[in-house]
């Protein structure tokens, strides 16, 4: 070190460092929002929402069917688990249909459109044949399969309209024919009106409303002009008004909207009012699973159309909000699948299935809450009824197949490997090492190549 003129060593000056910037306080809400946004944008989000949400709805529905149907079964001199066992069997068959539909390629779904439509139309016409069709609660829409098993063909008409309508519109879009209004309406609207006519012959207004919602959903996705859409909607509304005005039973149901007394304006509103009583007595967390009072003969159809009321009584507001959240997640996932695909058939079919399940859930829950007239439609995947459960689970399998068919989701699924599993035998010894250690080797080699020691 060089000395100064005075013989003293030079004074070392301290290096000036920049002042530290003020730290931005960590916002947990912002971090949570960022993580949630990243999770929603992942390729497999729709796949997991559809699969997980539908399975949760089905499992919770089985639990509530068992709880809500015990008293009804005992009143009919049947075992307490009678309705639950039938619903569980239907869920097993529906699970096989769901798995098969989720593994089918899109071209096979399109190939099944016309056969399913033909079978549905034939079965719906067979209902009107004396000695084959049978009436349940005033509606002639059932075919007896022997014993206690029955089938409602109109439920399969919903699936038929979705598949056939999606295939029809997709083929016309490929040929650039949807810009002409006659190609958009024909033959979609006439075939839909034929299905509606077969349903209304049996008097099932609720299923007809769901089928009409599917038709409008397909027209909306096809880009129907506002005037054309409004024209078809006006015709359907006029027919609906006529059908309601000419039926005292439907007029009575309309008069029970918002009723608070069992006899409102001369109409029998017993079911609607006791559904409100069940929801009101549930509170926040409910009276407990199996502890419903209204299911003891006070609330008709407690395990079918009004199972949501029993859910509110036994599981409270928390249980009903959970069911609503699951249906909302299912609807969001269906819209996401329809919005992100480039295949027109997938877009129309996913939009039709989402419209079907969402509209039916809104109509059922709205009737239980007293906001809509009682239409006699079950809560999808939740209420008792194998005829409604089987086609709905097949439709869920469609959504799962479409979510898996997305290119980004397909790549993400292909990259998924069991962390601790071994690959198939036949490869080298290094290939049979668990994937975790292979990953660690790659990281180590990358570190050595970057100059680390």
């Amino acid at each position: 070190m060089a000395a100064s003129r005075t013989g003293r060593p030079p004074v070392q000056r301290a290096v000036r460092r920049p002042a530290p910037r003020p730290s931005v306080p960590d916002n947990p809400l912002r971090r949570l929002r960022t993580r949630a946004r990243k999770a929603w944008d992942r390729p497999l989000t729709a796949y997991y929402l559809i699969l997980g949400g539908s399975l949760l709805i089905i499992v919770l529905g089985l639990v509530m069917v068992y709880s809500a149907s015990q008293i009804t079964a005992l009143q009919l001199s049947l075992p307490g688990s009678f309705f639950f066992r039938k619903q569980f069997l239907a869920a097993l068959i529906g699970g096989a249909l769901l798995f098969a539909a989720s593994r089918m390629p899109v071209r096979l779904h399109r190939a099944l459109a016309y056969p399913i439509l033909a079978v549905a139309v034939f079965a719906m016409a067979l209902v009107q044949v004396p000695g084959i069709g049978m009436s349940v609660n005033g509606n002639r829409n059932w075919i007896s399969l022997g014993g206690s098993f029955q089938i409602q063909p109109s439920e399969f008409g919903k699936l038929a309209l979705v598949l056939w309508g999606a295939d029809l519109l997709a083929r016309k879009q490929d040929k650039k024919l949807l810009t002409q209004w006659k190609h958009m309406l024909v033959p979609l609207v006439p075939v839909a009106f034929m299905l509606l006519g077969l349903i209304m012959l049996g008097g099932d207004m609720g299923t007809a409303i769901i089928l009409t919602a599917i038709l409008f959903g397909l027209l909306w996705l096809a880009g129907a002009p506002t005037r054309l859409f409004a024209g078809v909607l006006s015709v359907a509304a006029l027919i609906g008004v006529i059908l309601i005005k000419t039926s005292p039973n439907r007029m009575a149901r309309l008069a029970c909207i918002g009723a608070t007394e069992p006899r409102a304006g001369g109409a029998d509103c017993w079911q609607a009012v006791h559904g409100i009583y069940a929801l009101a007595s549930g509170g926040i967390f409910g009276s407990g699973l199996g502890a419903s009072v209204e299911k003891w003969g006070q609330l008709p159809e407690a395990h079918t159309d009004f199972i949501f009321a029993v859910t509110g009584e036994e599981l409270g507001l928390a249980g009903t909000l959970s069911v609503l959240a699951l249906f909302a997640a299912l609807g969001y996932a269906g819209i996401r699948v329809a919005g992100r695909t480039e295949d027109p058939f997938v877009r129309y079919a996913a939009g039709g299935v989402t419209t079907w399940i969402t509209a039916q859930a809104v109509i059922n829950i709205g009737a239980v809450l007293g906001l809509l007239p009682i239409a006699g439609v079950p809560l999808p995947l939740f209420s008792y009824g194998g005829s409604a459960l089987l086609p709905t689970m097949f439709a869920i399998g469609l959504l799962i197949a479409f979510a898996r068919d997305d290119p980004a989701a397909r790549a993400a699924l292909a990259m998924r490997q069991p962390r601790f599993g071994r690959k198939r035998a036949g490869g080298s010894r290094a290939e049979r090492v668990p994937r975790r250690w292979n990953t660690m080797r790659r990281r180590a080699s990358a570190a050595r190549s970057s100059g680390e020691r």
Side-chain angles (χ1 to χ4, degrees), residues 25-79:
D26 190 11
N27 191 344
L29 293 178
R30 182 182 301 173
R31 187 168 65 251
L32 181 62
R33 185 169 61 250
T34 303
R35 290 181 179 178
R37 187 179 303 166
K38 290 181 179 179
W40 284 115
D41 290 337
R42 289 176 180 174
L44 293 177
T45 297
Y47 171 75
Y48 287 131
L49 282 178
I50 296 170
L51 180 61
S54 58
L55 290 181
L56 286 175
I57 294 174
I58 293 170
V59 171
L60 183 58
L62 286 172
V63 173
M64 293 311 305
V65 165
Y66 181 68
S67 175
S69 65
Q70 286 182 338
I71 306 304
T72 303
L74 294 176
Q75 289 174 346
L76 297 174
S77 301
L78 297 171

Side-chain angles (χ1 to χ4, degrees), residues 310-332:
V310 179
T311 303
E313 185 179 5
E314 295 187 351
L315 302 183
L317 181 64
T320 55
L321 290 181
S322 300
V323 174
L324 290 176
L326 290 174
F327 276 108
L330 198 58
Y332 165 81

Side-chain angles (χ1 to χ4, degrees), residues 252-303:
R253 292 186 179 187
L254 196 64
C256 291
I257 297 179
T260 56
E261 296 294 335
R263 301 292 299 184
D268 186 6
C269 301
W270 179 274
Q271 187 179 25
V273 171
H274 278 272
I276 298 296
Y277 290 169
L279 291 172
S281 59
I284 302 296
F285 298 105
S287 58
L289 191 62
S292 170
V293 176
E294 292 293 332
K295 69 182 180 183
W296 287 78
Q298 300 296 323
L299 180 63
E301 307 295 336
H303 60 297

